[in-house]
Amino acid sequence: MDLSFWCYSCDCYVENKVVLNPYEQVLSDYKFGSEFVPTIENVVEKFPSWKIDEKKIANIKYFNFIELFNQKKFKNIVFMTGAGISTSAGIPDFRSKGGIFEELQKKHSLETPAEFFSMETFKKNPELLYEFIKTFSQKKYYPTPTHYFMFFLESKGLVLRNYTQNVDGLELLAGSSKEKMMFSHGNLNEAHCPECKKDYPIETIKKAIDSNKIHYCEVCQTPCKPKVVLYGEKLDDSFYDSYNSLKDADLCIIMGTSMKVFPFNNLPYFMNQSCYKMVINNERVGSFDFDNVSNNEMFVEGTTDEVTQKLLSDLSLLE
């Protein structure tokens, strides 16, 4: 007995010491002697007493992931991000306590924040959205370490697609290419008429907003707006057209999103089961099985800036 362990599912030796240590101790006691009585019944009974807690599972999966990454196993990375990656830039998120939704709900006496950002409300009272955009645009925001992390991986030729729910455009400021970006909920850098879809220069809309005026479409007289997707609006066709490419993804990194908004939260289902899923967040989100030590779904707790900087130091990308 050489104290080695073989996984019949993976058809290889188990080498992770975090997993092996307690089991090696039992077999070592059996082989070399101790107070432990080495009967088969006692050994079998002893093994289940070493339950691996959530933190140990996370560590096991993290180190396995780092090893696979450094072996260049991941070549088609998909990012899925939400407001949490921009909070360190000074932009409040939407759904957390003290976030944008709560502030608007109080200010405008809304039953739900969706009322403020709905297409129905915009058509009746476009001033509300114009006021929000004017307030948002008064401050200059800059990319965070997380944005630069995504650009860095793209510069290495590793990014298949970068999906974001954010409309701030900080990914582009960090250097990410427009070709790789999927602004799932639109952006503030382009404008159009939501009715007839005629495009307008964003500067035209900004000028109207700064003058406290509404810019109406020359064709159908509908109020124009930046290409942000409001409640009741359909996402751009390019979002749905991108589903087919997701089958090529081998790693999906999900950061700073609640994973509550459909169809954005449905994207992982279009990826192969073999695709690794890494969630970086302050709390668990989505319907992933993080506590199964043998699968490829992992949760890394922490801010996206902290974790991405740790990843940079652990991955052999800077060499």
Side-chain angles (χ1 to χ4, degrees):
M1 184 172 63
D2 61 0
L3 301 185
S4 62
F5 286 76
W6 181 264
C7 176
Y8 287 92
S9 177
C10 302
D11 198 28
C12 65
Y13 282 102
V14 180
E15 298 177 348
N16 192 301
K17 290 298 181 184
V18 180
V19 176
L20 294 182
N21 281 345
Y23 299 99
E24 285 181 339
Q25 185 61 52
V26 172
L27 294 184
S28 177
D29 289 346
Y30 176 81
K31 183 175 182 179
F32 301 112
S34 75
E35 295 181 0
F36 177 67
V37 181
T39 65
I40 293 298
E41 290 77 12
N42 283 347
V43 170
V44 171
E45 184 181 351
K46 190 82 172 176
F47 279 178
S49 68
W50 279 290
K51 292 183 179 178
I52 304 176
D53 61 25
E54 291 178 6
K55 190 171 183 180
K56 284 184 178 179
I57 290 174
N59 288 338
I60 293 167
K61 290 188 172 184
Y62 181 81
F63 289 120
N64 284 342
F65 164 78
I66 295 297
E67 184 176 1
L68 288 171
F69 199 108
N70 289 336
Q71 291 173 355
K72 304 188 185 305
K73 298 293 186 183
F74 303 119
K75 299 176 181 178
N76 289 298
I77 300 173
V78 170
F79 288 111
M80 293 177 59
T81 63
I85 72 166
S86 293
T87 53
S88 63
I91 303 174
D93 67 9
F94 280 76
R95 296 177 180 276
S96 66
K97 185 172 179 59
I100 291 174
F101 276 0
E102 184 177 294
E103 184 179 330
L104 291 173
Q105 203 165 353
K106 289 178 181 178
K107 183 176 180 179
H108 296 282
S109 302
L110 305 173
E111 288 187 19
T112 66
E115 290 180 55
F116 189 95
F117 290 103
S118 73
M119 195 61 211
E120 183 180 357
T121 299
F122 176 73
K123 287 182 177 179
K124 293 178 181 176
N125 191 0
E127 290 84 1
L128 286 177
L129 183 63
Y130 275 40
E131 176 195 340
F132 170 76
I133 294 172
K134 184 176 183 178
T135 302
F136 182 86
S137 303
Q138 285 175 347
K139 185 178 177 182
K140 182 73 174 176
Y141 299 104
Y142 297 94
T144 69
T146 301
H147 292 98
Y148 286 113
F149 171 77
M150 294 189 293
F151 163 66
F152 182 70
L153 290 189
E154 183 183 332
S155 72
K156 297 291 184 180
L158 299 174
V159 174
L160 176 66
R161 184 78 66 181
N162 190 337
Y163 291 88
T164 184
Q165 294 172 285
N166 300 337
V167 299
D168 51 49
L170 294 184
E171 297 85 0
L172 299 178
L173 286 179
S176 294
S177 65
K178 194 173 182 180
E179 292 71 29
K180 295 291 184 181
M181 290 302 307
M182 179 61 67
F183 292 101
S184 308
H185 296 165
N187 66 83
L188 291 170
N189 300 319
E190 301 173 297
H192 71 163
C193 167
E195 190 67 33
C196 71
K197 307 304 179 185
K198 176 178 172 60
D199 287 334
Y200 287 90
I202 188 62
E203 290 75 18
T204 302
I205 308 302
K206 286 183 176 179
K207 185 177 179 180
I209 291 173
D210 291 339
S211 303
N212 297 318
K213 296 179 180 178
I214 305 299
H215 184 83
Y216 291 92
C217 178
E218 302 164 356
V219 178
C220 64
Q221 299 305 306
T222 299
C224 297
K225 67 177 182 64
K227 288 185 178 180
V228 292
V229 179
L230 302 178
Y231 287 98
E233 274 192 295
K234 181 178 177 290
L235 270 61
D236 192 82
D237 288 341
S238 60
F239 178 85
Y240 301 100
D241 292 341
S242 72
Y243 283 178
N244 286 336
S245 66
L246 292 176
K247 67 180 184 300
D248 297 323
D250 46 33
L251 169 61
C252 178
I253 301 179
I254 301 166
M255 301 187 285
T257 171
S258 65
M259 291 293 282
K260 292 180 179 178
V261 178
F262 182 86
F264 183 87
N265 63 356
N266 208 39
L267 289 174
Y269 294 104
F270 292 92
M271 303 172 195
N272 288 328
Q273 192 171 357
S274 60
C275 177
Y276 253 71
K277 282 90 173 177
M278 170 186 277
V279 175
I280 301 172
N281 217 9
N282 285 322
E283 59 184 11
R284 295 182 171 207
V285 296
S287 55
F288 302 102
D289 187 8
F290 297 124
D291 295 331
N292 184 343
V293 74
S294 63
N295 74 4
N296 55 4
E297 299 175 350
M298 59 182 298
F299 172 65
V300 185
E301 185 176 0
T303 69
T304 61
D305 288 347
E306 292 170 346
V307 176
T308 53
Q309 293 311 290
K310 175 172 172 52
L311 281 171
L312 275 181
S313 67
D314 291 339
L315 300 174
S316 57
L317 290 169
L318 300 176
E319 298 174 358

